[in-house]
Amino acid sequence: MDRRRTNENDEATAKERPTLKTLAFMTGLGVTTVSRALKDAPEIGAETRRRVQLVAKQIGYRPNRAGVRLRTGKTNVISLVLNTEHELMSFVSDIIYGVTAMIADTPYHLIVTPYSRSQDPMDPVRYLVETGSADGIIISRTQPNDPRARYLLERGVPFATHGRTDMGLVHPYHDFDNYAFANEAVRYLAATGRRRLALLAPPIGLTYHGHTVNGFTDALSEVGASEVAFNTVTIDHSIEQIRMRTAQLMRRSDRPDGFVSSAAASTLAIVAGIEDAGLKLGRDVDVVSKQSSELLHLFRRELLVVNESFRLAGSELARAVLGWIGGAEPGSLQSLSKPGEVLPYRG
């Protein structure tokens, strides 16, 4: 009785999870031919490949990852390593969407490897490499001299960084041109008559902090505007901390009449602080902010925005990792997204 029940369970499992043998039976082909057709092997005719792949899709065939790893040494996994405390949900959801859209028609799957502020950022990277858990890795919050990038390069593990390093080492990356963003934001504000400008920057340890600050200060000197220091908070501080510091700044006699903000969530706090000080956005002060979704104008129409696509970032990072896995040169897998124009509300 127990043996019969076991056999029934095995048969049910086989029905739930089609195998290469299932595909071979249904198509009348050999297992080897089916396997090669699924991999788009050029020695298999186009019509045969099309037929096998169509049947596989119809019956929900998925390769057994454990078996693939035993045969090939590959996991068919790309890992996205994220700091769960600093990355906002819009960033997380959009970058995941971009990665998954890029790998949708490949054998690869995405896993998210989180870490917290209390952890060394190297910990999740070491874990992935030492356990062989992923064929490729995507990291964010990139530093100028990033030990994670150096570690992965030394071990020959395909990876891409969201942001650039400054180590003199070649690796894949996708970045947003934050120098151009800050530079253009200052020029726009100056053209509207704003002369005393404040910058809410990224945290100092990240590469794009330097890009943003340099773009801001270079433009200030070129347009003849002055900076009002706003360096006691960064976009990593809490909404309440940014709000309180903004209100304090705006109550001073030498308050700024323009802000450049590096993150949309922080911009909400800046606006709250401005209004706490009894001032009006668009009349007493203007704010140019990056945004990754079209929400800021729903919050305040007076805001000026520059769009940054995290979905594009996810797509480009996945493309870079897949390219390296596929044998492309790392230096050919680098991309830089240019900011668009500063956009006022257009109704």
Side-chain angles (χ1 to χ4, degrees):
M1 184 69 175
D2 290 343
R3 185 177 299 170
R4 185 165 61 252
R5 187 174 294 119
T6 299
N7 290 339
E8 289 172 355
N9 289 340
D10 289 345
E11 289 174 7
T13 301
K15 289 179 181 177
E16 293 170 4
R17 186 176 297 169
T19 66
L20 286 175
K21 289 183 179 179
T22 312
L23 277 173
F25 174 79
M26 295 184 71
T27 59
L29 300 169
V31 171
T32 301
T33 301
V34 167
S35 176
R36 290 176 178 170
L38 290 171
K39 297 174 184 175
D40 280 323
E43 66 269 20
I44 305 299
E47 178 57 30
T48 300
R49 282 181 282 161
R50 187 197 67 78
R51 179 159 60 96
V52 170
Q53 291 170 9
L54 177 62
V55 173
K57 184 175 182 180
Q58 288 173 336
I59 67 173
Y61 169 78
R62 294 288 184 274
N64 184 305
R65 276 203 254 165
V68 169
R69 184 171 182 179
L70 284 172
R71 291 193 307 273
T72 67
K74 290 187 175 182
T75 63
N76 283 350
V77 165
I78 292 174
S79 177
L80 174 62
V81 180
L82 291 177
N83 183 306
T84 55
E85 293 177 70
H86 288 307
E87 310 294 13
L88 297 175
M89 287 312 297
S90 61
F91 171 85
V92 172
S93 60
D94 282 352
I95 205 164
I96 288 175
Y97 182 97
V99 172
T100 53
M102 178 54 60
I103 66 175
D105 295 325
T106 75
Y108 281 89
H109 301 265
L110 174 69
I111 62 170
V112 176
T113 304
Y115 67 99
S116 66
R117 182 181 303 180
S118 61
Q119 285 182 275
D120 181 347
M122 279 293 300
D123 288 347
V125 175
R126 284 197 193 97
Y127 172 82
L128 290 167
V129 173
E130 291 172 1
T131 60
S133 300
D135 297 335
I137 298 173
I138 296 170
I139 57 177
S140 62
R141 296 182 65 82
T142 308
Q143 304 168 31
N145 185 11
D146 200 304
R148 299 168 300 172
R150 190 179 300 277
Y151 174 84
L152 291 167
L153 280 169
E154 289 172 350
R155 282 152 184 79
V157 177
F159 73 98
T161 60
H162 186 210
R164 287 164 282 177
T165 61
D166 190 21
M167 303 184 293
L169 300 175
V170 177
H171 63 81
Y173 65 76
H174 175 76
D175 202 2
F176 181 79
D177 193 339
N178 288 284
Y179 179 95
F181 156 69
N183 196 281
E184 182 56 32
V186 168
R187 292 177 181 278
Y188 188 98
L189 290 169
T192 64
R194 303 303 188 183
R195 312 307 298 172
R196 301 182 309 281
L197 308 183
L199 171 66
L200 182 61
I204 196 168
L206 304 184
T207 308
Y208 83 112
H209 168 87
H211 297 158
T212 305
V213 170
N214 290 341
F216 181 80
T217 55
D218 285 355
L220 284 178
S221 63
E222 290 163 8
V223 301
S226 60
E227 178 179 7
V228 179
F230 192 49
N231 50 19
T232 57
V233 285
T234 73
I235 61 173
D236 269 6
H237 283 80
S238 71
I239 296 296
E240 190 52 42
Q241 287 171 316
I242 297 171
R243 176 179 181 171
M244 180 179 65
R245 183 68 186 94
T246 302
Q248 291 171 348
L249 184 65
M250 297 307 290
R251 291 188 179 106
R252 288 171 24 183
S253 59
D254 60 343
R255 65 178 180 250
D257 56 11
F259 280 89
V260 177
S261 174
S262 295
S266 301
T267 300
L268 306 182
I270 289 174
V271 172
I274 289 169
E275 294 175 352
D276 287 346
L279 301 171
K280 181 172 174 55
L281 184 67
R283 181 192 67 194
D284 302 305
V285 59
D286 281 315
V287 178
V288 177
S289 175
K290 285 198 295 182
Q291 67 169 8
S292 58
S293 61
E294 298 179 2
L295 294 178
L296 285 181
H297 281 155
L298 296 178
F299 173 65
R300 292 290 185 275
R301 294 182 178 183
E302 298 85 358
L303 285 167
L304 305 162
V305 300
V306 174
N307 292 315
E308 176 183 9
S309 175
F310 291 137
R311 291 192 178 190
L312 172 64
S315 176
E316 288 299 307
L317 290 165
R319 187 196 308 276
V321 171
L322 291 174
W324 194 350
I325 292 171
E329 288 295 322
S332 69
L333 303 170
Q334 300 172 338
S335 57
L336 183 65
S337 177
K338 294 290 184 180
E341 62 181 325
V342 178
L343 300 172
Y345 177 73
R346 291 175 176 168

